[in-house]
Coordinates of all heavy atoms in Angstrom, one line a residue:
P3 N -49.1 38.7 28.3 CA -50.3 39.4 28.9 C -50.0 39.7 30.4 O -49.3 39.0 31.1 CB -51.4 38.3 28.8 CG -50.9 37.4 27.7 CD -49.4 37.4 27.7
Q4 N -50.6 40.8 30.8 CA -50.5 41.3 32.2 C -51.0 40.3 33.2 O -50.4 40.2 34.3 CB -51.3 42.6 32.4 CG -51.1 43.3 33.7 CD -49.8 44.1 33.7 OE1 -49.0 44.1 32.7 NE2 -49.5 44.7 34.8
Q5 N -52.0 39.5 32.8 CA -52.5 38.5 33.7 C -51.5 37.4 34.1 O -51.5 36.9 35.2 CB -53.7 37.8 33.0 CG -54.9 38.7 32.8 CD -55.4 39.2 34.1 OE1 -55.4 38.6 35.2 NE2 -55.8 40.5 34.1
R6 N -50.5 37.2 33.2 CA -49.5 36.2 33.5 C -48.5 36.8 34.6 O -48.1 36.1 35.5 CB -48.7 35.8 32.3 CG -47.6 34.8 32.5 CD -47.1 34.2 31.2 NE -48.2 33.4 30.5 CZ -48.0 32.7 29.5 NH1 -46.8 32.6 28.9 NH2 -49.0 32.0 28.9
K7 N -48.2 38.0 34.5 CA -47.4 38.7 35.5 C -48.1 38.6 36.8 O -47.5 38.3 37.9 CB -47.1 40.2 35.1 CG -46.1 40.3 34.0 CD -46.0 41.8 33.6 CE -45.5 42.6 34.8 NZ -45.4 44.1 34.4
K8 N -49.4 38.9 36.8 CA -50.2 38.9 38.1 C -50.2 37.5 38.7 O -50.2 37.3 39.9 CB -51.6 39.4 37.8 CG -51.7 40.9 37.5 CD -53.1 41.3 37.4 CE -53.2 42.8 37.1 NZ -54.6 43.3 36.9
L9 N -50.2 36.5 37.8 CA -50.2 35.1 38.3 C -48.9 34.8 39.0 O -48.9 34.2 40.1 CB -50.3 34.1 37.1 CG -50.2 32.6 37.4 CD1 -51.2 32.2 38.4 CD2 -50.2 31.8 36.1
F10 N -47.7 35.3 38.5 CA -46.5 35.0 39.2 C -46.4 35.8 40.5 O -45.8 35.3 41.5 CB -45.3 35.4 38.2 CG -45.2 34.5 37.0 CD1 -44.9 35.1 35.8 CD2 -45.3 33.2 37.1 CE1 -44.8 34.3 34.6 CE2 -45.2 32.3 36.0 CZ -45.0 32.9 34.8
V11 N -46.9 37.0 40.5 CA -47.0 37.7 41.8 C -47.8 36.9 42.8 O -47.4 36.8 44.0 CB -47.6 39.1 41.6 CG1 -47.8 39.8 42.9 CG2 -46.6 40.0 40.7
A12 N -49.0 36.5 42.4 CA -49.9 35.7 43.3 C -49.2 34.5 43.8 O -49.4 34.1 45.0 CB -51.2 35.4 42.5
L13 N -48.5 33.8 42.9 CA -47.8 32.5 43.3 C -46.8 32.8 44.3 O -46.6 32.1 45.3 CB -47.2 31.8 42.1 CG -48.2 31.1 41.2 CD1 -47.5 30.6 39.9 CD2 -48.9 30.0 41.9
S14 N -46.0 33.9 44.1 CA -45.0 34.3 45.1 C -45.6 34.6 46.4 O -45.0 34.1 47.5 CB -44.2 35.5 44.5 OG -43.2 35.9 45.5
F15 N -46.6 35.3 46.4 CA -47.3 35.7 47.7 C -47.9 34.4 48.4 O -47.7 34.2 49.6 CB -48.4 36.7 47.5 CG -47.9 38.1 47.6 CD1 -47.1 38.7 46.6 CD2 -48.2 38.9 48.7 CE1 -46.6 40.0 46.8 CE2 -47.8 40.2 48.9 CZ -47.0 40.8 47.9
A16 N -48.5 33.6 47.6 CA -49.2 32.4 48.1 C -48.1 31.4 48.7 O -48.3 30.9 49.8 CB -50.0 31.7 47.0
M17 N -47.0 31.2 48.0 CA -46.0 30.3 48.5 C -45.3 30.8 49.8 O -44.9 30.0 50.6 CB -45.0 30.0 47.4 CG -45.6 29.3 46.2 SD -44.5 29.1 44.8 CE -43.3 27.8 45.5
N18 N -45.1 32.1 49.9 CA -44.5 32.7 51.0 C -45.4 32.8 52.2 O -45.1 32.4 53.3 CB -43.9 34.1 50.7 CG -42.5 34.0 50.1 OD1 -41.5 33.9 50.8 ND2 -42.5 34.1 48.8
L19 N -46.7 33.3 52.0 CA -47.6 33.4 53.0 C -48.1 32.1 53.6 O -48.5 32.0 54.7 CB -48.8 34.3 52.6 CG -48.4 35.7 52.3 CD1 -49.7 36.5 51.8 CD2 -47.8 36.4 53.4
S20 N -48.1 31.0 52.7 CA -48.5 29.7 53.2 C -47.5 29.2 54.2 O -47.8 28.5 55.2 CB -48.7 28.7 52.0 OG -47.5 28.6 51.3
L21 N -46.2 29.5 53.9 CA -45.1 29.1 54.8 C -45.3 29.8 56.1 O -45.2 29.2 57.2 CB -43.8 29.5 54.2 CG -42.5 29.1 55.0 CD1 -42.3 27.6 55.0 CD2 -41.3 29.8 54.4
L22 N -45.6 31.1 56.1 CA -45.8 31.9 57.3 C -47.0 31.4 58.0 O -47.0 31.3 59.3 CB -46.1 33.4 56.9 CG -46.1 34.4 58.0 CD1 -44.9 34.4 58.8 CD2 -46.4 35.8 57.5
F23 N -48.1 31.0 57.3 CA -49.3 30.5 58.0 C -49.0 29.2 58.7 O -49.4 29.0 59.8 CB -50.4 30.2 56.9 CG -51.6 29.5 57.5 CD1 -52.6 30.2 58.1 CD2 -51.7 28.2 57.3 CE1 -53.7 29.6 58.6 CE2 -52.8 27.5 57.8 CZ -53.8 28.2 58.5
L24 N -48.2 28.3 58.0 CA -47.9 27.0 58.6 C -47.2 27.1 60.0 O -47.6 26.5 60.9 CB -47.1 26.2 57.6 CG -46.6 24.8 58.1 CD1 -47.8 23.9 58.4 CD2 -45.6 24.2 57.1
F25 N -46.2 28.0 60.0 CA -45.4 28.1 61.2 C -46.0 29.1 62.3 O -45.7 28.9 63.4 CB -44.0 28.6 60.8 CG -43.1 27.5 60.3 CD1 -43.1 27.2 58.9 CD2 -42.4 26.7 61.1 CE1 -42.3 26.2 58.4 CE2 -41.6 25.6 60.6 CZ -41.6 25.4 59.3
K26 N -46.8 30.1 61.8 CA -47.2 31.1 62.8 C -48.7 31.0 63.1 O -49.1 31.4 64.2 CB -46.8 32.5 62.2 CG -47.0 33.6 63.2 CD -46.4 34.9 62.6 CE -46.4 36.0 63.6 NZ -45.8 37.3 63.1
Y27 N -49.5 30.6 62.1 CA -50.9 30.7 62.3 C -51.7 29.4 62.3 O -52.9 29.4 62.5 CB -51.5 31.7 61.3 CG -50.9 33.0 61.3 CD1 -50.0 33.4 60.3 CD2 -51.2 33.9 62.3 CE1 -49.4 34.7 60.3 CE2 -50.6 35.2 62.3 CZ -49.8 35.6 61.3 OH -49.2 36.8 61.3
F28 N -51.0 28.3 62.0 CA -51.7 27.0 61.9 C -52.4 26.6 63.2 O -53.6 26.3 63.3 CB -50.7 25.9 61.5 CG -51.4 24.6 61.4 CD1 -52.1 24.2 60.2 CD2 -51.3 23.6 62.4 CE1 -52.7 23.0 60.1 CE2 -51.8 22.4 62.3 CZ -52.6 22.1 61.2
D29 N -51.7 26.7 64.3 CA -52.2 26.3 65.6 C -53.4 27.3 66.0 O -54.4 26.9 66.6 CB -51.2 26.4 66.7 CG -50.2 25.2 66.6 OD1 -50.5 24.2 65.9 OD2 -49.1 25.4 67.2
F30 N -53.2 28.6 65.7 CA -54.3 29.6 66.0 C -55.5 29.2 65.2 O -56.6 29.3 65.7 CB -53.7 31.0 65.6 CG -54.7 32.1 65.8 CD1 -55.2 32.4 67.0 CD2 -55.2 32.8 64.7 CE1 -56.1 33.5 67.2 CE2 -56.1 33.8 64.8 CZ -56.5 34.2 66.1
A31 N -55.4 28.9 63.9 CA -56.5 28.5 63.1 C -57.2 27.3 63.6 O -58.4 27.2 63.7 CB -56.1 28.3 61.6
V32 N -56.4 26.2 63.9 CA -57.0 25.0 64.5 C -57.7 25.2 65.8 O -58.8 24.7 66.0 CB -55.9 23.9 64.7 CG1 -56.4 22.7 65.4 CG2 -55.3 23.5 63.3
E33 N -57.1 26.0 66.6 CA -57.8 26.4 67.9 C -59.1 27.0 67.7 O -60.1 26.7 68.4 CB -56.9 27.3 68.7 CG -57.4 27.7 70.1 CD -56.5 28.7 70.8 OE1 -55.3 28.7 70.5 OE2 -57.0 29.5 71.6
N34 N -59.2 28.0 66.8 CA -60.5 28.6 66.6 C -61.5 27.8 65.8 O -62.7 27.9 66.1 CB -60.2 29.9 65.8 CG -59.7 31.0 66.6 OD1 -60.4 31.7 67.3 ND2 -58.3 31.2 66.6
I35 N -61.0 26.9 64.9 CA -61.9 26.0 64.2 C -62.5 25.0 65.3 O -63.7 24.7 65.2 CB -61.2 25.2 63.1 CG1 -60.9 26.2 62.0 CG2 -62.0 24.1 62.6 CD1 -60.0 25.6 60.9
N36 N -61.6 24.5 66.2 CA -62.1 23.6 67.2 C -63.1 24.2 68.1 O -64.1 23.6 68.6 CB -60.9 23.1 68.0 CG -60.1 22.0 67.3 OD1 -60.6 21.3 66.4 ND2 -58.9 21.8 67.7
F37 N -62.9 25.5 68.4 CA -63.9 26.3 69.2 C -65.3 26.3 68.5 O -66.3 26.0 69.2 CB -63.4 27.7 69.4 CG -64.4 28.6 70.2 CD1 -64.5 28.5 71.6 CD2 -65.2 29.5 69.5 CE1 -65.4 29.3 72.3 CE2 -66.1 30.3 70.2 CZ -66.2 30.2 71.6
L38 N -65.3 26.5 67.2 CA -66.6 26.6 66.5 C -67.2 25.2 66.4 O -68.4 25.0 66.5 CB -66.3 27.2 65.1 CG -65.9 28.6 65.1 CD1 -65.6 29.1 63.6 CD2 -67.0 29.6 65.7
L39 N -66.3 24.2 66.2 CA -66.8 22.8 66.0 C -67.4 22.3 67.4 O -68.4 21.6 67.4 CB -65.7 21.9 65.6 CG -65.2 22.0 64.2 CD1 -64.0 21.1 63.9 CD2 -66.3 21.8 63.2
A40 N -66.8 22.7 68.5 CA -67.3 22.3 69.8 C -68.7 22.9 70.0 O -69.5 22.3 70.6 CB -66.3 22.8 70.9
K41 N -68.9 24.2 69.6 CA -70.2 24.8 69.7 C -71.3 24.1 68.9 O -72.4 24.1 69.3 CB -70.1 26.2 69.2 CG -69.2 27.2 70.1 CD -69.9 27.4 71.4 CE -69.0 28.4 72.3 NZ -69.6 28.6 73.6
C42 N -70.8 23.4 67.8 CA -71.8 22.6 67.0 C -71.8 21.2 67.3 O -72.4 20.4 66.6 CB -71.4 22.8 65.5 SG -71.4 24.5 65.0
N43 N -71.1 20.8 68.4 CA -71.0 19.4 68.8 C -70.5 18.5 67.8 O -70.9 17.3 67.5 CB -72.4 18.9 69.3 CG -72.9 19.6 70.5 OD1 -72.2 19.8 71.4 ND2 -74.2 20.0 70.4
L44 N -69.4 19.0 67.1 CA -68.8 18.2 66.0 C -67.4 17.7 66.5 O -66.8 18.3 67.5 CB -68.6 19.0 64.7 CG -70.0 19.4 64.1 CD1 -69.7 20.4 62.9 CD2 -70.8 18.2 63.6
Q45 N -66.8 16.8 65.8 CA -65.5 16.2 66.1 C -64.4 17.3 66.0 O -64.4 18.0 65.0 CB -65.2 15.0 65.3 CG -63.9 14.3 65.7 CD -63.6 13.0 64.9 OE1 -64.5 12.7 64.0 NE2 -62.5 12.3 65.2
L46 N -63.5 17.3 67.0 CA -62.5 18.3 66.9 C -61.3 17.8 66.1 O -61.1 16.7 65.9 CB -62.0 18.6 68.3 CG -63.0 19.0 69.4 CD1 -62.3 19.3 70.7 CD2 -63.7 20.3 68.9
I47 N -60.5 18.8 65.5 CA -59.3 18.6 64.7 C -58.2 18.4 65.7 O -58.0 19.2 66.6 CB -59.1 19.7 63.7 CG1 -60.3 19.9 62.8 CG2 -57.8 19.5 62.9 CD1 -60.2 21.1 61.9

């Protein structure tokens, strides 16, 4: 089925982009989450 091919494509993208996110965007994401949490007076990450 075509859906299985799409699954393998999605897994390839997810595994590669997660690596990219970890090294390039993790700190950026945490910084912005902390900014929003601080606005809500919640504990920072």
